Amino acid sequence: MIAMREAWIAGLFGRAHWGRNLVSGVIVGVVALPLAMAFAIASGVKPEQGIYTAIIGGLLVSLFGGSRLQIAGPTGAFIVILAGVTAKYGVDGLQIATMMAGLILLLLGITRLGAIIKFIPDPVIVGFTAGIGVIIWVGQWKDFFGLPAVTGEHFHEKFWHLLQALPDLHLATTLLAAASLVLVVSASKLPGLSRVPGPLVAMVVVTAIQSLFHFDGVATIGSAFGGIPQGLPELGLPEVTLPRVLELIGPAFAIAMLGAIESLLSAVVADGMAGTKHDSNQELIGQGIANLATPLFGGFAATGAIARTATNIRNGGTGPLAGITHAITLVLIILFLAPLASNIPLCALAAILFVVAYNMSELKHFKRMVQRAPRADVAILLITFGLTVFSDLVIAVNIGVILAMLHFMRRMASSVEVRQVVKEELESAPRANGDTHLPPEVLVYTIEGPLFFAAAETFERVLAQTHTDPHVLVIRLNRVPFMDITGLQTLEEVIQQLHKRNIVVKLCEANRKVLSKLDKAGILQEIGSAHYHSEFHAALEAAEEQERTPGSS
């Protein structure tokens, strides 16, 4: 159900909820202002484009998303991808990739694949978010310290050049940046400022200082971008061509996957804080609509913002009205206060991103995982982190997920056990087995665990190498939750090999889904319908009858 409709049914648009949602929306809108500009500049576009993204993306996600408390807009997680796309394909390329990502998100939601995103392992998520945090932090050194522009295609090259440039830092810029950083972190602890967002305090105070003293060499939004236009953007469509679409498929998919992960993580955080329950598929639909529309108004990729969503909940937000108010607040700011933005120092926005990068890195969680997690998970975490920083985010996530899947399959395969059931084991539970004894020329094997491709080799090795050739081999399937095609083919091959050794094979106790697959794969026809039994004691009785009737099959 769309969160708007759910909120309406729950009465969250009633007058009793107006006050808290309007106040929360205004606060979140004010919090979003410096963040939106900072994320836009770090992504290689103009600061006003970040505000447009927060307005359009935030409004549409509140209207069509699956979480009634979600606040959407530009986020720090996107910076690495978006900056790379902008540098390589330009702003038009970024907007086309965003629209393509919106279409992918829309299709993911419509086809109800939202739940799959939740299966990305925690070491992968923590690894790439920590890596993004490091890249953002280092990427803001230039504006924080007032350094000259540096070159370098890879992270380590840029990092080394920045280290070499540090002695040439601009003193006034660095002092303003340091003051901004202190205010972002500690403003909420000052008397009378406990409810005022730290980023806003830092931006206002440092902008006032720069406006008063006009320090030479301090880069501002006015000097770097010519200020922020006073008014809303016009509707426009980037030039979309087939060659451009084809070359942007990779970046679009990366934006979509990261946007899906970020938005659903934010929705889960909101559920935990407010006791709500989001609809993953509807949330992806809302995110898809937002990313399809935002570039038409000069914006770029948007997703659920965890920090702003949490701020919304802490300040009393209960429904989509807060998200709508957040968008309206930004509209009013850009209509009436845009000229004041010219004197905002870029170093103040860099300081805000320093804090964003630290929060994204989840340093304590990262350290705890390295210390306490199993070695394989630690390896996946560090590989994902290293690839994110030194290679590419998309490669890092892909390889991280693949490694996690391979590790999971290895553990699943090792948990599958194929073993012979001995006579003493049967006699210890006579009631469960119909009080049937084990005939001397009958062997019983049980499979415990899913019979899938990773476990097929174990199954084949054990069953194909029975120490003796019995007249009848009974295979119990009661502890097999599922089989895939490789498991079915392996089972069929083993049965054929046993038949060549004149061993009668009986199957028993398969669950409904496994039995259906056995029938569809032709395995029941291979053994003969008389050799499948729904109950184990019936299979043993039939095997005993088989022994009393030599030559029968």
Side-chain angles (χ1 to χ4, degrees), residues 144-282:
F144 190 93
F145 297 108
L147 302 176
V150 298
T151 58
E153 184 178 352
H154 301 289
F155 172 83
H156 65 278
E157 296 171 340
K158 294 178 182 177
F159 181 59
W160 176 245
H161 292 156
L162 284 168
L163 286 175
Q164 291 177 315
L166 272 179
D168 299 323
L169 60 82
H170 188 265
L171 184 59
T173 299
T174 304
L175 290 175
L176 287 175
S180 301
L181 186 60
V182 171
L183 288 171
V184 172
V185 174
S186 61
S188 60
K189 301 175 184 177
L190 298 176
L193 295 177
S194 60
R195 295 182 64 85
V196 182
L200 179 66
V201 174
M203 187 181 72
V204 171
V205 171
V206 175
T207 300
I209 294 173
Q210 175 61 21
S211 300
L212 183 62
F213 293 101
H214 296 286
F215 295 111
D216 291 333
V218 174
T220 64
I221 286 180
S223 65
F225 301 98
I228 293 178
Q230 189 171 10
L232 297 178
E234 297 180 357
L235 180 67
L237 181 69
E239 185 179 352
V240 181
T241 62
L242 182 59
R244 207 80 191 277
V245 169
L246 293 176
E247 68 181 359
L248 288 169
I249 288 177
F253 186 78
I255 293 171
M257 290 301 100
L258 187 56
I261 294 169
E262 187 83 357
S263 63
L264 294 181
L265 281 177
S266 179
V268 169
V269 170
D271 289 346
M273 293 180 66
T276 55
K277 186 173 178 60
H278 75 279
D279 183 329
S280 298
N281 297 307
Q282 186 60 49

Side-chain angles (χ1 to χ4, degrees), residues 1 35 52 58 82 89 122 126 138 140 160 236 245 258 268 298 324 338 349 361 375 408 414 424 444 460 483 487 552:
M1 180 184 292
L35 293 174
Y52 301 154
L82 302 189
Y89 302 104
D122 199 39
V126 174
V138 173
Q140 293 305 304
W160 176 245
V245 169
L258 187 56
V268 169
I324 296 170
L349 300 180
S361 68
R375 284 180 296 177
F408 173 76
S414 64
E424 291 76 11
V444 177
E460 185 174 21
M483 289 186 180
S552 63

Side-chain angles (χ1 to χ4, degrees), residues 70-94:
Q70 184 81 280
I71 302 294
T75 66
F78 274 141
I79 288 175
V80 177
I81 294 179
L82 302 189
V85 174
T86 305
K88 187 172 182 179
Y89 302 104
V91 176
D92 277 357
L94 173 62

Side-chain angles (χ1 to χ4, degrees), residues 16-104:
H17 293 272
W18 284 7
R20 66 183 72 175
N21 282 290
L22 291 175
V23 170
S24 179
V26 171
I27 292 172
V28 175
V30 171
V31 171
L33 178 66
L35 293 174
M37 291 190 292
F39 293 147
I41 293 170
S43 299
V45 297
K46 296 179 179 180
E48 64 266 24
Q49 291 180 271
I51 302 177
Y52 301 154
T53 302
I55 292 170
I56 305 300
L59 178 63
L60 292 177
V61 168
S62 292
L63 291 175
F64 299 106
S67 170
R68 68 176 72 165
L69 297 165
Q70 184 81 280
I71 302 294
T75 66
F78 274 141
I79 288 175
V80 177
I81 294 179
L82 302 189
V85 174
T86 305
K88 187 172 182 179
Y89 302 104
V91 176
D92 277 357
L94 173 62
Q95 292 177 325
I96 294 170
T98 297
M99 295 179 69
M100 293 169 63
L103 181 60
I104 293 170

Side-chain angles (χ1 to χ4, degrees), residues 268-470:
V268 169
V269 170
D271 289 346
M273 293 180 66
T276 55
K277 186 173 178 60
H278 75 279
D279 183 329
S280 298
N281 297 307
Q282 186 60 49
E283 181 62 24
L284 293 184
I285 290 173
Q287 297 289 340
I289 293 172
N291 282 284
L292 278 169
T294 300
L296 301 178
F297 296 91
F300 53 94
T303 186
I306 296 176
R308 275 160 276 170
T309 299
T311 301
N312 178 34
I313 297 169
R314 291 193 193 104
N315 286 281
T318 59
L321 181 59
I324 296 170
T325 304
H326 140 267
I328 294 173
T329 300
L330 289 171
V331 170
L332 296 176
I333 290 173
I334 202 169
L335 286 177
F336 298 106
L337 301 177
L340 301 178
S342 291
N343 287 326
I344 297 175
L346 297 186
C347 62
L349 300 180
I352 292 170
L353 288 180
F354 266 30
V355 177
V356 169
Y358 176 79
N359 292 334
M360 282 191 64
S361 68
E362 295 186 272
L363 189 58
K364 292 181 180 178
H365 186 32
F366 189 98
K367 182 179 178 181
R368 186 166 56 249
M369 187 173 288
V370 170
Q371 291 173 337
R372 301 180 182 179
R375 284 180 296 177
D377 290 325
V378 173
I380 292 170
L381 169 70
L382 296 178
I383 289 171
T384 305
F385 172 78
L387 288 173
T388 300
V389 173
F390 296 105
S391 180
D392 179 81
L393 175 62
V394 179
I395 293 173
V397 173
N398 287 340
I399 291 180
V401 170
I402 290 171
L403 289 175
M405 289 173 59
L406 292 173
H407 176 54
F408 173 76
M409 287 187 292
R410 185 182 68 82
R411 287 190 296 182
M412 286 290 292
S414 64
S415 69
V416 177
E417 185 178 4
V418 182
R419 62 183 181 82
Q420 183 179 349
V421 179
V422 297
K423 182 177 180 180
E424 291 76 11
E425 185 178 348
L426 293 173
E427 291 175 348
S428 65
R431 290 184 181 178
N433 299 311
D435 200 18
T436 306
H437 70 280
L438 186 64
E441 294 299 322
V442 175
L443 290 182
V444 177
Y445 275 81
T446 183
I447 305 173
E448 300 181 1
L451 188 55
F452 67 118
F453 64 92
E457 190 272 337
T458 300
F459 168 74
E460 185 174 21
R461 183 183 68 253
V462 173
L463 277 188
Q465 296 179 358
T466 53
H467 297 296
T468 60
D469 278 2

